[in-house]
mmCIF file of all heavy atoms in Angstrom:
data_model
loop_
_atom_site.group_PDB
_atom_site.id
_atom_site.type_symbol
_atom_site.label_atom_id
_atom_site.label_comp_id
_atom_site.label_asym_id
_atom_site.label_seq_id
_atom_site.Cartn_x
_atom_site.Cartn_y
_atom_site.Cartn_z
ATOM 1 N N ALA J 71 -36.816 5.523 -5.286
ATOM 2 C CA ALA J 71 -36.408 5.746 -3.901
ATOM 3 C C ALA J 71 -35.044 5.148 -3.577
ATOM 4 O O ALA J 71 -34.217 5.775 -2.923
ATOM 5 C CB ALA J 71 -37.462 5.170 -2.979
ATOM 6 N N ASP J 72 -34.799 3.936 -4.037
ATOM 7 C CA ASP J 72 -33.533 3.317 -3.635
ATOM 8 C C ASP J 72 -32.793 2.613 -4.768
ATOM 9 O O ASP J 72 -31.774 1.975 -4.533
ATOM 10 C CB ASP J 72 -33.773 2.323 -2.484
ATOM 11 C CG ASP J 72 -34.755 1.234 -2.866
ATOM 12 O OD1 ASP J 72 -35.242 1.249 -4.018
ATOM 13 O OD2 ASP J 72 -35.037 0.372 -2.014
ATOM 14 N N ARG J 73 -33.299 2.733 -5.974
ATOM 15 C CA ARG J 73 -32.623 2.044 -7.080
ATOM 16 C C ARG J 73 -32.402 2.985 -8.240
ATOM 17 O O ARG J 73 -33.106 3.987 -8.390
ATOM 18 C CB ARG J 73 -33.455 0.854 -7.584
ATOM 19 C CG ARG J 73 -33.649 -0.251 -6.568
ATOM 20 C CD ARG J 73 -34.247 -1.484 -7.231
ATOM 21 N NE ARG J 73 -33.221 -2.307 -7.855
ATOM 22 C CZ ARG J 73 -32.441 -3.144 -7.167
ATOM 23 N NH1 ARG J 73 -32.545 -3.251 -5.874
ATOM 24 N NH2 ARG J 73 -31.541 -3.867 -7.782
ATOM 25 N N VAL J 74 -31.421 2.640 -9.033
ATOM 26 C CA VAL J 74 -31.218 3.354 -10.291
ATOM 27 C C VAL J 74 -31.188 2.312 -11.405
ATOM 28 O O VAL J 74 -30.595 1.240 -11.259
ATOM 29 C CB VAL J 74 -29.926 4.203 -10.278
ATOM 30 C CG1 VAL J 74 -28.704 3.380 -9.902
ATOM 31 C CG2 VAL J 74 -29.700 4.867 -11.626
ATOM 32 N N ARG J 75 -31.906 2.639 -12.474
ATOM 33 C CA ARG J 75 -31.901 1.756 -13.650
ATOM 34 C C ARG J 75 -31.465 2.581 -14.836
ATOM 35 O O ARG J 75 -31.900 3.726 -14.997
ATOM 36 C CB ARG J 75 -33.294 1.166 -13.911
ATOM 37 C CG ARG J 75 -33.782 0.224 -12.847
ATOM 38 C CD ARG J 75 -35.217 -0.208 -13.127
ATOM 39 N NE ARG J 75 -35.730 -1.070 -12.076
ATOM 40 C CZ ARG J 75 -36.196 -0.627 -10.907
ATOM 41 N NH1 ARG J 75 -36.212 0.658 -10.661
ATOM 42 N NH2 ARG J 75 -36.628 -1.474 -9.990
ATOM 43 N N VAL J 76 -30.645 1.997 -15.658
ATOM 44 C CA VAL J 76 -30.160 2.693 -16.850
ATOM 45 C C VAL J 76 -30.461 1.823 -18.060
ATOM 46 O O VAL J 76 -30.233 0.607 -18.024
ATOM 47 C CB VAL J 76 -28.636 2.967 -16.740
ATOM 48 C CG1 VAL J 76 -28.084 3.480 -18.047
ATOM 49 C CG2 VAL J 76 -28.360 3.971 -15.634
ATOM 50 N N VAL J 77 -30.997 2.433 -19.071
ATOM 51 C CA VAL J 77 -31.211 1.724 -20.336
ATOM 52 C C VAL J 77 -30.281 2.351 -21.355
ATOM 53 O O VAL J 77 -30.313 3.559 -21.589
ATOM 54 C CB VAL J 77 -32.682 1.840 -20.804
ATOM 55 C CG1 VAL J 77 -32.882 1.063 -22.104
ATOM 56 C CG2 VAL J 77 -33.630 1.350 -19.728
ATOM 57 N N ILE J 78 -29.431 1.534 -21.894
ATOM 58 C CA ILE J 78 -28.412 2.049 -22.829
ATOM 59 C C ILE J 78 -28.485 1.253 -24.117
ATOM 60 O O ILE J 78 -28.584 0.030 -24.079
ATOM 61 C CB ILE J 78 -26.977 1.887 -22.271
ATOM 62 C CG1 ILE J 78 -26.848 2.500 -20.885
ATOM 63 C CG2 ILE J 78 -25.960 2.527 -23.211
ATOM 64 C CD1 ILE J 78 -25.478 2.310 -20.277
ATOM 65 N N ASP J 79 -28.379 1.954 -25.184
ATOM 66 C CA ASP J 79 -28.258 1.258 -26.461
ATOM 67 C C ASP J 79 -26.989 1.797 -27.117
ATOM 68 O O ASP J 79 -26.986 2.888 -27.659
ATOM 69 C CB ASP J 79 -29.490 1.539 -27.323
ATOM 70 C CG ASP J 79 -29.420 0.753 -28.634
ATOM 71 O OD1 ASP J 79 -28.632 -0.191 -28.697
ATOM 72 O OD2 ASP J 79 -30.160 1.125 -29.557
ATOM 73 N N GLY J 80 -25.936 1.088 -27.003
ATOM 74 C CA GLY J 80 -24.695 1.589 -27.603
ATOM 75 C C GLY J 80 -23.545 1.468 -26.619
ATOM 76 O O GLY J 80 -23.329 0.409 -26.040
ATOM 77 N N GLY J 81 -22.820 2.584 -26.418
ATOM 78 C CA GLY J 81 -21.634 2.562 -25.561
ATOM 79 C C GLY J 81 -21.999 2.468 -24.082
ATOM 80 O O GLY J 81 -23.172 2.345 -23.715
ATOM 81 N N PHE J 82 -21.013 2.529 -23.241
ATOM 82 C CA PHE J 82 -21.177 2.543 -21.782
ATOM 83 C C PHE J 82 -21.842 1.276 -21.243
ATOM 84 O O PHE J 82 -22.526 1.313 -20.215
ATOM 85 C CB PHE J 82 -22.000 3.762 -21.333
ATOM 86 C CG PHE J 82 -21.471 5.079 -21.801
ATOM 87 C CD1 PHE J 82 -22.312 5.997 -22.408
ATOM 88 C CD2 PHE J 82 -20.137 5.409 -21.651
ATOM 89 C CE1 PHE J 82 -21.833 7.210 -22.843
ATOM 90 C CE2 PHE J 82 -19.648 6.631 -22.078
ATOM 91 C CZ PHE J 82 -20.512 7.532 -22.684
ATOM 92 N N THR J 83 -21.731 0.174 -21.951
ATOM 93 C CA THR J 83 -22.373 -1.052 -21.469
ATOM 94 C C THR J 83 -21.436 -1.893 -20.606
ATOM 95 O O THR J 83 -21.881 -2.864 -19.993
ATOM 96 C CB THR J 83 -22.840 -1.925 -22.643
ATOM 97 O OG1 THR J 83 -21.751 -2.080 -23.534
ATOM 98 C CG2 THR J 83 -24.017 -1.291 -23.358
ATOM 99 N N ARG J 84 -20.184 -1.547 -20.634
ATOM 100 C CA ARG J 84 -19.213 -2.244 -19.794
ATOM 101 C C ARG J 84 -18.327 -1.189 -19.140
ATOM 102 O O ARG J 84 -18.130 -0.106 -19.694
ATOM 103 C CB ARG J 84 -18.294 -3.148 -20.649
ATOM 104 C CG ARG J 84 -18.998 -4.268 -21.358
ATOM 105 C CD ARG J 84 -19.364 -5.398 -20.427
ATOM 106 N NE ARG J 84 -18.202 -5.961 -19.742
ATOM 107 C CZ ARG J 84 -18.278 -6.652 -18.597
ATOM 108 N NH1 ARG J 84 -19.450 -6.839 -18.020
ATOM 109 N NH2 ARG J 84 -17.209 -7.145 -18.036
ATOM 110 N N PRO J 85 -17.770 -1.480 -17.971
ATOM 111 C CA PRO J 85 -16.785 -0.546 -17.418
ATOM 112 C C PRO J 85 -15.571 -0.494 -18.340
ATOM 113 O O PRO J 85 -15.323 -1.460 -19.086
ATOM 114 C CB PRO J 85 -16.399 -1.176 -16.076
ATOM 115 C CG PRO J 85 -17.356 -2.276 -15.836
ATOM 116 C CD PRO J 85 -17.923 -2.687 -17.157
#
Side-chain angles (χ1 to χ4, degrees):
Chain J
D72 58 0
R73 296 191 84 79
V74 54
R75 294 175 183 80
V76 171
V77 181
I78 307 177
D79 183 17
F82 305 131
T83 51
R84 296 284 302 158

